[in-house]
PDB file of all heavy atoms in Angstrom:
ATOM      1  N   ILE A   1      11.410 -20.486   1.882  1.00 94.00           N
ATOM      2  CA  ILE A   1      12.681 -20.117   1.269  1.00 94.00           C
ATOM      3  C   ILE A   1      12.848 -18.618   1.159  1.00 94.00           C
ATOM      4  O   ILE A   1      13.981 -18.111   0.990  1.00 94.00           O
ATOM      5  CB  ILE A   1      12.785 -20.789  -0.117  1.00 94.00           C
ATOM      6  CG1 ILE A   1      14.237 -20.763  -0.583  1.00 94.00           C
ATOM      7  CG2 ILE A   1      11.888 -20.120  -1.132  1.00 94.00           C
ATOM      8  CD1 ILE A   1      14.461 -21.599  -1.848  1.00 94.00           C
ATOM      9  N   LEU A   2      11.765 -17.870   1.267  1.00 97.00           N
ATOM     10  CA  LEU A   2      11.849 -16.418   1.114  1.00 97.00           C
ATOM     11  C   LEU A   2      12.042 -15.734   2.461  1.00 97.00           C
ATOM     12  O   LEU A   2      11.360 -16.036   3.435  1.00 97.00           O
ATOM     13  CB  LEU A   2      10.563 -15.885   0.465  1.00 97.00           C
ATOM     14  CG  LEU A   2      10.357 -16.262  -1.002  1.00 97.00           C
ATOM     15  CD1 LEU A   2       8.996 -15.737  -1.472  1.00 97.00           C
ATOM     16  CD2 LEU A   2      11.468 -15.736  -1.870  1.00 97.00           C
ATOM     17  N   PRO A   3      12.971 -14.773   2.514  1.00 96.00           N
ATOM     18  CA  PRO A   3      13.157 -14.010   3.756  1.00 96.00           C
ATOM     19  C   PRO A   3      12.062 -12.951   3.888  1.00 96.00           C
ATOM     20  O   PRO A   3      11.313 -12.694   2.944  1.00 96.00           O
ATOM     21  CB  PRO A   3      14.522 -13.362   3.548  1.00 96.00           C
ATOM     22  CG  PRO A   3      14.590 -13.150   2.038  1.00 96.00           C
ATOM     23  CD  PRO A   3      13.900 -14.337   1.451  1.00 96.00           C
ATOM     24  N   ALA A   4      12.000 -12.326   5.044  1.00 97.00           N
ATOM     25  CA  ALA A   4      11.112 -11.199   5.220  1.00 97.00           C
ATOM     26  C   ALA A   4      11.380 -10.166   4.120  1.00 97.00           C
ATOM     27  O   ALA A   4      12.544  -9.813   3.880  1.00 97.00           O
ATOM     28  CB  ALA A   4      11.311 -10.573   6.586  1.00 97.00           C
ATOM     29  N   ALA A   5      10.335  -9.728   3.451  1.00 97.00           N
ATOM     30  CA  ALA A   5      10.518  -8.863   2.276  1.00 97.00           C
ATOM     31  C   ALA A   5      10.947  -7.483   2.646  1.00 97.00           C
ATOM     32  O   ALA A   5      10.584  -6.941   3.698  1.00 97.00           O
ATOM     33  CB  ALA A   5       9.212  -8.847   1.471  1.00 97.00           C
ATOM     34  N   LYS A   6      11.711  -6.877   1.769  1.00 96.00           N
ATOM     35  CA  LYS A   6      12.139  -5.486   1.922  1.00 96.00           C
ATOM     36  C   LYS A   6      11.596  -4.660   0.768  1.00 96.00           C
ATOM     37  O   LYS A   6      11.063  -5.196  -0.209  1.00 96.00           O
ATOM     38  CB  LYS A   6      13.668  -5.398   1.996  1.00 96.00           C
ATOM     39  CG  LYS A   6      14.386  -5.970   0.776  1.00 96.00           C
ATOM     40  CD  LYS A   6      15.872  -5.722   0.856  1.00 96.00           C
ATOM     41  CE  LYS A   6      16.555  -6.598   1.880  1.00 96.00           C
ATOM     42  NZ  LYS A   6      16.681  -8.004   1.464  1.00 96.00           N
ATOM     43  N   TYR A   7      11.788  -3.354   0.845  1.00 97.00           N
ATOM     44  CA  TYR A   7      11.404  -2.487  -0.259  1.00 97.00           C
ATOM     45  C   TYR A   7      12.325  -1.275  -0.269  1.00 97.00           C
ATOM     46  O   TYR A   7      12.994  -0.947   0.713  1.00 97.00           O
ATOM     47  CB  TYR A   7       9.964  -2.052  -0.169  1.00 97.00           C
ATOM     48  CG  TYR A   7       9.563  -1.239   1.060  1.00 97.00           C
ATOM     49  CD1 TYR A   7       9.820   0.121   1.135  1.00 97.00           C
ATOM     50  CD2 TYR A   7       8.989  -1.850   2.175  1.00 97.00           C
ATOM     51  CE1 TYR A   7       9.480   0.865   2.258  1.00 97.00           C
ATOM     52  CE2 TYR A   7       8.657  -1.125   3.295  1.00 97.00           C
ATOM     53  CZ  TYR A   7       8.904   0.236   3.348  1.00 97.00           C
ATOM     54  OH  TYR A   7       8.576   0.951   4.447  1.00 97.00           O
ATOM     55  N   ARG A   8      12.339  -0.583  -1.393  1.00 96.00           N
ATOM     56  CA  ARG A   8      13.053   0.665  -1.537  1.00 96.00           C
ATOM     57  C   ARG A   8      12.198   1.607  -2.372  1.00 96.00           C
ATOM     58  O   ARG A   8      11.799   1.238  -3.474  1.00 96.00           O
ATOM     59  CB  ARG A   8      14.402   0.457  -2.209  1.00 96.00           C
ATOM     60  CG  ARG A   8      15.254   1.701  -2.311  1.00 96.00           C
ATOM     61  CD  ARG A   8      16.654   1.403  -2.861  1.00 96.00           C
ATOM     62  NE  ARG A   8      17.447   2.616  -2.982  1.00 96.00           N
ATOM     63  CZ  ARG A   8      17.494   3.381  -4.081  1.00 96.00           C
ATOM     64  NH1 ARG A   8      16.781   3.020  -5.169  1.00 96.00           N
ATOM     65  NH2 ARG A   8      18.216   4.463  -4.114  1.00 96.00           N
ATOM     66  N   LEU A   9      11.942   2.792  -1.850  1.00 98.00           N
ATOM     67  CA  LEU A   9      11.082   3.746  -2.552  1.00 98.00           C
ATOM     68  C   LEU A   9      11.782   5.094  -2.613  1.00 98.00           C
ATOM     69  O   LEU A   9      12.456   5.522  -1.674  1.00 98.00           O
ATOM     70  CB  LEU A   9       9.758   3.913  -1.778  1.00 98.00           C
ATOM     71  CG  LEU A   9       8.883   2.679  -1.660  1.00 98.00           C
ATOM     72  CD1 LEU A   9       7.804   2.878  -0.595  1.00 98.00           C
ATOM     73  CD2 LEU A   9       8.283   2.309  -3.002  1.00 98.00           C
ATOM     74  N   ALA A  10      11.657   5.754  -3.752  1.00 98.00           N
ATOM     75  CA  ALA A  10      12.317   7.062  -3.901  1.00 98.00           C
ATOM     76  C   ALA A  10      11.623   7.885  -4.972  1.00 98.00           C
ATOM     77  O   ALA A  10      11.133   7.331  -5.972  1.00 98.00           O
ATOM     78  CB  ALA A  10      13.788   6.857  -4.278  1.00 98.00           C
ATOM     79  N   THR A  11      11.548   9.178  -4.741  1.00 98.00           N
ATOM     80  CA  THR A  11      11.015  10.100  -5.736  1.00 98.00           C
ATOM     81  C   THR A  11      11.646  11.457  -5.467  1.00 98.00           C
ATOM     82  O   THR A  11      12.386  11.641  -4.498  1.00 98.00           O
ATOM     83  CB  THR A  11       9.491  10.190  -5.661  1.00 98.00           C
ATOM     84  OG1 THR A  11       9.004  10.936  -6.762  1.00 98.00           O
ATOM     85  CG2 THR A  11       9.015  10.832  -4.343  1.00 98.00           C
ATOM     86  N   LYS A  12      11.361  12.394  -6.332  1.00 98.00           N
ATOM     87  CA  LYS A  12      11.874  13.768  -6.163  1.00 98.00           C
ATOM     88  C   LYS A  12      10.698  14.709  -6.287  1.00 98.00           C
ATOM     89  O   LYS A  12       9.927  14.619  -7.282  1.00 98.00           O
ATOM     90  CB  LYS A  12      12.954  14.098  -7.181  1.00 98.00           C
ATOM     91  CG  LYS A  12      13.856  15.239  -6.746  1.00 98.00           C
ATOM     92  CD  LYS A  12      15.186  15.204  -7.522  1.00 98.00           C
ATOM     93  CE  LYS A  12      16.184  16.199  -6.891  1.00 98.00           C
ATOM     94  NZ  LYS A  12      17.484  16.127  -7.550  1.00 98.00           N
ATOM     95  N   ILE A  13      10.570  15.635  -5.359  1.00 97.00           N
ATOM     96  CA  ILE A  13       9.453  16.574  -5.342  1.00 97.00           C
ATOM     97  C   ILE A  13      10.005  17.984  -5.182  1.00 97.00           C
ATOM     98  O   ILE A  13      10.551  18.320  -4.119  1.00 97.00           O
ATOM     99  CB  ILE A  13       8.429  16.233  -4.233  1.00 97.00           C
ATOM    100  CG1 ILE A  13       7.814  14.825  -4.484  1.00 97.00           C
ATOM    101  CG2 ILE A  13       7.329  17.275  -4.146  1.00 97.00           C
ATOM    102  CD1 ILE A  13       6.961  14.314  -3.347  1.00 97.00           C
ATOM    103  N   GLU A  14       9.865  18.754  -6.231  1.00 96.00           N
ATOM    104  CA  GLU A  14      10.330  20.154  -6.228  1.00 96.00           C
ATOM    105  C   GLU A  14      11.718  20.317  -5.649  1.00 96.00           C
ATOM    106  O   GLU A  14      11.948  21.058  -4.692  1.00 96.00           O
ATOM    107  CB  GLU A  14       9.329  21.054  -5.517  1.00 96.00           C
ATOM    108  CG  GLU A  14       8.039  21.247  -6.336  1.00 96.00           C
ATOM    109  CD  GLU A  14       7.262  22.486  -5.925  1.00 96.00           C
ATOM    110  OE1 GLU A  14       7.838  23.389  -5.298  1.00 96.00           O
ATOM    111  OE2 GLU A  14       6.077  22.540  -6.236  1.00 96.00           O
ATOM    112  N   GLY A  15      12.651  19.575  -6.241  1.00 95.00           N
ATOM    113  CA  GLY A  15      14.057  19.744  -5.900  1.00 95.00           C
ATOM    114  C   GLY A  15      14.546  19.039  -4.654  1.00 95.00           C
ATOM    115  O   GLY A  15      15.695  19.191  -4.291  1.00 95.00           O
ATOM    116  N   ARG A  16      13.709  18.264  -4.014  1.00 97.00           N
ATOM    117  CA  ARG A  16      14.102  17.562  -2.807  1.00 97.00           C
ATOM    118  C   ARG A  16      13.730  16.070  -2.912  1.00 97.00           C
ATOM    119  O   ARG A  16      12.632  15.748  -3.341  1.00 97.00           O
ATOM    120  CB  ARG A  16      13.418  18.139  -1.561  1.00 97.00           C
ATOM    121  CG  ARG A  16      13.704  19.616  -1.284  1.00 97.00           C
ATOM    122  CD  ARG A  16      15.111  19.822  -0.796  1.00 97.00           C
ATOM    123  NE  ARG A  16      15.350  21.229  -0.428  1.00 97.00           N
ATOM    124  CZ  ARG A  16      15.788  22.160  -1.255  1.00 97.00           C
ATOM    125  NH1 ARG A  16      15.990  21.845  -2.538  1.00 97.00           N
ATOM    126  NH2 ARG A  16      16.021  23.390  -0.852  1.00 97.00           N
ATOM    127  N   GLY A  17      14.648  15.224  -2.523  1.00 98.00           N
ATOM    128  CA  GLY A  17      14.366  13.803  -2.542  1.00 98.00           C
ATOM    129  C   GLY A  17      13.440  13.387  -1.412  1.00 98.00           C
ATOM    130  O   GLY A  17      13.489  13.941  -0.322  1.00 98.00           O
ATOM    131  N   VAL A  18      12.579  12.441  -1.687  1.00 98.00           N
ATOM    132  CA  VAL A  18      11.733  11.788  -0.695  1.00 98.00           C
ATOM    133  C   VAL A  18      11.950  10.300  -0.861  1.00 98.00           C
ATOM    134  O   VAL A  18      11.752   9.751  -1.949  1.00 98.00           O
ATOM    135  CB  VAL A  18      10.237  12.118  -0.875  1.00 98.00           C
ATOM    136  CG1 VAL A  18       9.400  11.445   0.201  1.00 98.00           C
ATOM    137  CG2 VAL A  18      10.009  13.633  -0.886  1.00 98.00           C
ATOM    138  N   HIS A  19      12.416   9.623   0.189  1.00 98.00           N
ATOM    139  CA  HIS A  19      12.805   8.230  -0.017  1.00 98.00           C
ATOM    140  C   HIS A  19      12.781   7.420   1.265  1.00 98.00           C
ATOM    141  O   HIS A  19      12.824   7.978   2.368  1.00 98.00           O
ATOM    142  CB  HIS A  19      14.218   8.170  -0.645  1.00 98.00           C
ATOM    143  CG  HIS A  19      15.289   8.803   0.200  1.00 98.00           C
ATOM    144  ND1 HIS A  19      16.039   8.095   1.119  1.00 98.00           N
ATOM    145  CD2 HIS A  19      15.745  10.092   0.268  1.00 98.00           C
ATOM    146  CE1 HIS A  19      16.905   8.909   1.709  1.00 98.00           C
ATOM    147  NE2 HIS A  19      16.731  10.138   1.195  1.00 98.00           N
ATOM    148  N   SER A  20      12.715   6.105   1.083  1.00 97.00           N
ATOM    149  CA  SER A  20      12.868   5.198   2.201  1.00 97.00           C
ATOM    150  C   SER A  20      14.336   5.153   2.582  1.00 97.00           C
ATOM    151  O   SER A  20      15.218   5.454   1.778  1.00 97.00           O
ATOM    152  CB  SER A  20      12.331   3.808   1.856  1.00 97.00           C
ATOM    153  OG  SER A  20      12.992   3.299   0.724  1.00 97.00           O
ATOM    154  N   PHE A  21      14.604   4.736   3.818  1.00 95.00           N
ATOM    155  CA  PHE A  21      15.972   4.740   4.300  1.00 95.00           C
ATOM    156  C   PHE A  21      16.153   3.637   5.332  1.00 95.00           C
ATOM    157  O   PHE A  21      15.357   3.523   6.263  1.00 95.00           O
ATOM    158  CB  PHE A  21      16.311   6.090   4.914  1.00 95.00           C
ATOM    159  CG  PHE A  21      17.630   6.139   5.671  1.00 95.00           C
ATOM    160  CD1 PHE A  21      18.840   6.249   4.980  1.00 95.00           C
ATOM    161  CD2 PHE A  21      17.667   6.037   7.055  1.00 95.00           C
ATOM    162  CE1 PHE A  21      20.048   6.266   5.640  1.00 95.00           C
ATOM    163  CE2 PHE A  21      18.875   6.039   7.739  1.00 95.00           C
ATOM    164  CZ  PHE A  21      20.074   6.180   7.033  1.00 95.00           C
ATOM    165  N   CYS A  22      17.180   2.830   5.165  1.00 93.00           N
ATOM    166  CA  CYS A  22      17.532   1.791   6.186  1.00 93.00           C
ATOM    167  C   CYS A  22      16.295   0.936   6.544  1.00 93.00           C
ATOM    168  O   CYS A  22      15.898   0.858   7.669  1.00 93.00           O
ATOM    169  CB  CYS A  22      18.099   2.464   7.416  1.00 93.00           C
ATOM    170  SG  CYS A  22      18.780   1.311   8.646  1.00 93.00           S
ATOM    171  N   MET A  23      15.732   0.305   5.488  1.00 95.00           N
ATOM    172  CA  MET A  23      14.542  -0.501   5.690  1.00 95.00           C
ATOM    173  C   MET A  23      14.886  -1.756   6.469  1.00 95.00           C
ATOM    174  O   MET A  23      15.868  -2.436   6.160  1.00 95.00           O
ATOM    175  CB  MET A  23      13.953  -0.848   4.320  1.00 95.00           C
ATOM    176  CG  MET A  23      12.537  -1.371   4.351  1.00 95.00           C
ATOM    177  SD  MET A  23      12.477  -3.150   4.493  1.00 95.00           S
ATOM    178  CE  MET A  23      10.850  -3.406   5.159  1.00 95.00           C
ATOM    179  N   CYS A  24      14.113  -2.043   7.496  1.00 95.00           N
ATOM    180  CA  CYS A  24      14.387  -3.181   8.391  1.00 95.00           C
ATOM    181  C   CYS A  24      13.252  -4.188   8.355  1.00 95.00           C
ATOM    182  O   CYS A  24      12.261  -4.082   9.107  1.00 95.00           O
ATOM    183  CB  CYS A  24      14.593  -2.695   9.828  1.00 95.00           C
ATOM    184  SG  CYS A  24      15.981  -1.583  10.029  1.00 95.00           S
ATOM    185  N   PRO A  25      13.327  -5.187   7.495  1.00 96.00           N
ATOM    186  CA  PRO A  25      12.304  -6.219   7.473  1.00 96.00           C
ATOM    187  C   PRO A  25      12.343  -7.070   8.741  1.00 96.00           C
ATOM    188  O   PRO A  25      13.439  -7.363   9.238  1.00 96.00           O
ATOM    189  CB  PRO A  25      12.633  -7.049   6.243  1.00 96.00           C
ATOM    190  CG  PRO A  25      14.092  -6.832   6.012  1.00 96.00           C
ATOM    191  CD  PRO A  25      14.385  -5.457   6.513  1.00 96.00           C
ATOM    192  N   GLY A  26      11.188  -7.449   9.247  1.00 96.00           N
ATOM    193  CA  GLY A  26      11.143  -8.285  10.445  1.00 96.00           C
ATOM    194  C   GLY A  26      11.914  -7.645  11.573  1.00 96.00           C
ATOM    195  O   GLY A  26      12.623  -8.311  12.305  1.00 96.00           O
ATOM    196  N   GLY A  27      11.761  -6.325  11.756  1.00 96.00           N
ATOM    197  CA  GLY A  27      12.619  -5.599  12.655  1.00 96.00           C
ATOM    198  C   GLY A  27      11.884  -4.866  13.767  1.00 96.00           C
ATOM    199  O   GLY A  27      10.695  -5.093  14.019  1.00 96.00           O
ATOM    200  N   PHE A  28      12.600  -3.978  14.402  1.00 96.00           N
ATOM    201  CA  PHE A  28      12.129  -3.189  15.518  1.00 96.00           C
ATOM    202  C   PHE A  28      12.540  -1.719  15.340  1.00 96.00           C
ATOM    203  O   PHE A  28      13.551  -1.438  14.728  1.00 96.00           O
ATOM    204  CB  PHE A  28      12.764  -3.673  16.848  1.00 96.00           C
ATOM    205  CG  PHE A  28      12.544  -5.146  17.108  1.00 96.00           C
ATOM    206  CD1 PHE A  28      13.427  -6.085  16.596  1.00 96.00           C
ATOM    207  CD2 PHE A  28      11.480  -5.568  17.880  1.00 96.00           C
ATOM    208  CE1 PHE A  28      13.244  -7.430  16.829  1.00 96.00           C
ATOM    209  CE2 PHE A  28      11.294  -6.940  18.113  1.00 96.00           C
ATOM    210  CZ  PHE A  28      12.167  -7.879  17.603  1.00 96.00           C
TER     211      PHE A  28
END
């Protein structure tokens, strides 16, 4: 019943964002 899992990660380091983008579970 569960689809391929996704995630979203984000933080800020010295005034600049660091983050996941356009996460593609079960992808290419």
